[in-house]
Amino acid sequence: KEGLLPVPPPHTHPFLLRPVALGALRIRKTSARCQSLTDRMDIVIQVEDYLFFDALYQTASPDWLGQDRENVYRQFISIYITVATFGVLLYGIFSGLDWFFFFDRAYLNDPKILPNQVRREIMTTLGSIPFMTLLTTPVFLAEVRGYSKLTDGAPYGIGFEIFTIFSFLMFTDMMIYWIHRGLHHPLIYPHVHKTHHLWKVPTPWASHAFHPLDGFLQSTPYHMYAFLFPMNKFSYLIMFVFVNMWTISIHDGVYVSFDGILNSSAHHAEHHRLFNYNYGQYLTLWDRLFGTHRYPDHKALDPHRPELAGKGEKMADTKVKAA
């Protein structure tokens, strides 16, 4: 009736057609399942499939990955390439803009700056991103395949979508506070988090210079939120970009808040200087509540403090020779 079964030739036993009918039924069910997954697929992967992944997989694996956008292995590879590429681009573009337009180069005269520190920060980041991405890709894969609570549109209304931005920030800030504080435990710190604390006076390029496990653990609250609470998928992507920009901003020495509710670069610089204070990501709330808040010592953090006056060029030359 639907054109799925061929017209039986004369003298053909009707039971011989049964495998054909079952095979057609399996094709129809598979097609329906794939359409359902396509409806739930992340918009970024859909666009990338259209622009270049379809051609890539048709060339590399025409009889397997090239035939099925919903193939779990293809999606894993696509997500890995996407996250790693966008991670490097976000880091390079926004850290670069911050470095050229906002970062005070006088910080480079501080005696705690390491030889070739900027280069080492960049190389640490570029070495970590492929492994951080490998750890994160299975979580993104679960989100793309519809296991999270990410939504299309605004099924609960615009007011709820606005509220999710606030709740996302509060939830992730609280979780990162405890994860970050846990990473300073003596049994964990030397093996994982110490890499990030090599930079006593950080630059914007230190923002993502983590041990891969460190970076992954501190990113888990963002994914946890998507599996626990409904959120529009575009809002989710925007928040991911915002989180990366914020992470860069708290390493650039631009003090937008001297001691308010915001955990600005002043508080985070104090964290890099003294280690056991100011664990928060966006706010000082959790540090204040749990006794780890410390008012930034702006005199000690000031890159133009008198004891550094006139030492800049000499220190820079010494560091270059030491490298």
Side-chain angles (χ1 to χ4, degrees), residues 180 184 189 193 197-200 269-279:
H180 190 181
H184 279 259
Y189 176 83
H193 195 53
H197 275 279
L198 291 173
W199 334 114
K200 305 296 189 297
E270 196 76 346
H271 174 74
H272 274 261
R273 191 171 74 92
L274 298 175
F275 302 129
N276 295 322
Y277 303 94
N278 301 343
Y279 296 107

Side-chain angles (χ1 to χ4, degrees), residues 186-206:
L187 295 178
I188 301 174
Y189 176 83
H191 309 291
V192 180
H193 195 53
K194 186 176 181 179
T195 299
H196 189 61
H197 275 279
L198 291 173
W199 334 114
K200 305 296 189 297
V201 180
T203 77
W205 301 106

Side-chain angles (χ1 to χ4, degrees), residues 239-313:
M239 292 311 298
F240 252 91
V241 175
F242 167 78
V243 164
N244 280 275
M245 293 176 65
W246 183 268
T247 302
I248 293 168
S249 75
I250 61 175
H251 290 86
D252 66 4
V254 179
Y255 301 158
V256 297
S257 171
F258 285 89
D259 192 40
I261 190 64
L262 288 180
N263 179 61
S264 75
S265 60
H267 294 86
H268 198 67
E270 196 76 346
H271 174 74
H272 274 261
R273 191 171 74 92
L274 298 175
F275 302 129
N276 295 322
Y277 303 94
N278 301 343
Y279 296 107
Q281 178 78 345
Y282 319 115
L283 306 174
T284 60
L285 173 63
W286 312 108
D287 285 296
R288 294 177 188 272
L289 286 176
F290 297 106
T292 54
H293 174 261
R294 182 180 176 90
Y295 182 83
D297 185 344
H298 294 285
K299 290 184 178 180
L301 297 173
D302 183 5
H304 300 281
R305 57 191 184 273
E307 60 266 30
L308 294 183
K311 297 183 180 180
E313 294 300 325

